[in-house]
């Protein structure tokens, strides 16, 4: 059984990030409980070469809750095979009146219940003065994690 249950991979990954972000910034539940709802106990995420296990992920998520950024994910393309997914996205973040746009390339492995077991991502900050034809992406924004 796959973790995607016939869901379009673009929708799955956008919904995953959106739900995780929303629960972090809008809820009052313990950060560790929220992280555990979306990630396995043996989670390993490597983002731009920085390795995070469960404890580091929880520590990373706490400031997100404090700073309460808003974010919009544009998932441009995603493919899934078995329990793995690859996606190309743009993340638009607003935090304390500061705007940031990131290109995100994500490769992940998920359990049948939809929790992330492994995640690898590479990001690139998009210059604010990039012309529209230089900016990545396609129409169809979905609210999601920051």
């Amino acid at each position: 059984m796959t973790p995607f249950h016939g869901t379009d991979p673009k929708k799955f990954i956008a919904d995953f990030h959106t739900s995780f972000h929303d629960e972090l910034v809008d809820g009052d539940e313990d950060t560790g409980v929220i992280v555990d709802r979306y990630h396995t106990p043996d989670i390993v995420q490597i983002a731009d070469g920085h390795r995070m296990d469960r404890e580091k992920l929880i520590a990373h998520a706490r400031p997100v809750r404090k700073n309460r950024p808003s974010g919009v994910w544009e998932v441009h393309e995603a493919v899934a095979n078995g329990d793995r997914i690859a996606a190309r996205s743009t993340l638009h973040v607003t935090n304390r009146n500061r705007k940031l746009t990131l290109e995100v390339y994500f490769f992940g492995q998920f359990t049948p219940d939809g929790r992330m077991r492994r995640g690898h991502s590479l990001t690139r900050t998009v210059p604010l003065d990039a012309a529209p034809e230089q900016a990545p992406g396609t129409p169809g924004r979905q609210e999601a994690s920051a």
Side-chain angles (χ1 to χ4, degrees):
M1 183 158 73
T2 72
F4 313 113
H5 308 289
T7 302
D8 176 68
K10 287 172 64 173
K11 180 171 176 26
F12 175 88
I13 201 66
D15 289 351
F16 178 88
H17 289 298
T18 300
S19 298
F20 181 52
H21 173 266
D22 290 351
E23 287 190 33
L24 278 176
V25 299
D26 297 332
D28 56 5
E29 207 169 13
D30 179 73
T31 305
V33 171
I34 296 169
V35 166
D36 290 344
R37 189 173 301 123
Y38 289 86
H39 303 84
T40 62
D42 63 342
I43 180 66
V44 174
Q45 278 192 275
I46 300 173
D48 296 329
H50 301 282
R51 184 183 190 278
M52 289 188 289
D53 59 13
R54 179 184 176 274
E55 294 307 315
K56 288 181 182 176
L57 184 58
I58 291 169
H60 176 75
R62 285 188 179 120
V64 171
R65 172 171 273 174
K66 180 182 174 191
N67 294 326
R68 303 181 59 80
S70 63
V72 175
W73 278 94
E74 293 181 81
V75 179
H76 310 297
E77 55 189 332
V79 294
N81 185 7
D83 63 353
R84 298 176 190 270
I85 193 168
R88 182 179 65 85
S89 308
T90 302
L91 173 59
H92 304 275
V93 179
T94 302
N95 189 9
R96 297 183 182 158
N97 297 321
R98 179 176 160 231
K99 294 184 179 194
L100 180 66
T101 300
L102 300 168
E103 288 180 344
V104 181
Y105 300 90
F106 174 80
F107 305 90
Q109 180 184 23
F110 289 80
T111 60
D113 64 1
R115 291 182 298 153
M116 186 188 303
R117 173 172 284 136
R118 299 283 178 269
H120 294 265
S121 61
L122 297 170
T123 64
R124 178 185 82 89
T125 303
V126 178
L128 291 176
D129 61 350
E133 63 274 5
Q134 294 174 329
T138 56
R141 292 182 178 187
Q142 295 191 32
E143 292 293 324
S145 174

